[in-house]
Amino acid sequence: TKKRIASRKMWQSRISEERLKAIDRNVAELRNLKTVFKRYDTNLSNKLENNQVRNLLRDLNKGQEPTESELDFIMKLCDNKCVNGAIDLSELRSAIGAWKVYLRHRDRMKTSLAEYDREGMGKLTRDELHDCLVHLNADLPVTDEEVDWVIARANDVGDGTCSTS
């Protein structure tokens, strides 16, 4: 209706051009996320289950399959809004972003994890993890809360350690 159009024009005149462009970018990104989500939600469950997330991660990694531990890491890290063992549309952006960051830094992270595994057990103790995180953080301090956060997401056996595999 004409009244609605006039209201929208008035609203738009109060928002800067830069902010309108940011809104447009966000809308476009959401459309892209929805398209990606629909492509991988092959059973139309409105969530991406492990095998579907695996396919997404593989496609984002030039056809190379993620390992089980990599898939588990992304699932634990990003299934944090609905917490249903799957990635929902609201979690998809963080899953894609986390995977891309991980891929950029994977070799450095693996080298550091192996270097700080002083006991050679294939996992880092809390103290070893702390030292490793400081190293990965350009020698800037890391809080106990940050170490606990990593352990909570990376510890799959409940022993307070972080697997290096």
Side-chain angles (χ1 to χ4, degrees):
T1 67
K2 289 182 181 183
K3 193 175 190 179
R4 210 166 150 186
I5 292 170
S7 175
R8 180 179 168 97
K9 285 182 181 180
M10 183 182 76
W11 173 75
Q12 286 178 334
S13 69
R14 295 181 184 185
I15 298 175
S16 72
E17 187 65 31
E18 184 178 313
R19 182 67 184 132
L20 285 173
K21 287 179 181 177
I23 291 170
D24 288 342
R25 284 190 305 272
N26 287 339
V27 168
E29 181 182 9
L30 182 57
R31 283 189 190 124
N32 288 338
L33 286 172
K34 285 181 179 180
T35 300
V36 169
F37 192 84
K38 286 179 184 179
R39 181 180 315 140
Y40 291 94
D41 183 20
T42 55
N43 61 358
L44 305 176
S45 64
N46 288 319
K47 58 186 176 184
L48 300 182
E49 293 145 7
N50 276 13
N51 62 328
Q52 296 162 325
V53 175
R54 179 189 325 282
N55 292 339
L56 170 64
L57 300 181
R58 180 200 61 224
D59 292 348
L60 291 171
N61 192 23
K62 301 175 186 167
Q64 182 179 343
E65 290 279 337
T67 65
E68 279 303 313
S69 62
E70 289 171 334
L71 176 62
D72 289 345
F73 170 71
I74 294 297
M75 296 299 289
K76 285 181 184 178
L77 182 67
C78 300
D79 179 23
N80 57 11
K81 292 183 181 172
C82 298
V83 191
N84 57 2
I87 300 296
D88 301 274
L89 181 59
S90 64
E91 300 160 333
L92 183 60
R93 176 190 288 166
S94 66
I96 291 171
W99 182 242
K100 287 180 176 181
V101 168
Y102 170 75
L103 290 176
R104 267 196 313 274
H105 300 286
R106 175 174 42 194
D107 293 338
R108 180 173 171 238
M109 289 170 51
K110 285 185 177 187
T111 300
S112 293
L113 288 171
E115 178 183 331
Y116 283 89
D117 181 12
R118 296 179 192 112
E119 297 177 18
M121 301 296 293
K123 56 187 176 181
L124 300 182
T125 65
R126 190 176 196 294
D127 290 339
E128 291 169 337
L129 177 60
H130 176 272
D131 294 346
C132 181
L133 291 175
V134 168
H135 171 75
L136 290 170
N137 198 32
D139 292 326
L140 295 173
V142 174
T143 66
D144 288 340
E145 291 81 16
E146 291 167 324
V147 175
D148 292 339
W149 185 89
V150 171
I151 287 174
R153 282 151 185 83
N155 183 358
D156 52 358
V157 293
D159 64 356
T161 64
C162 177
S163 172
T164 60
S165 57

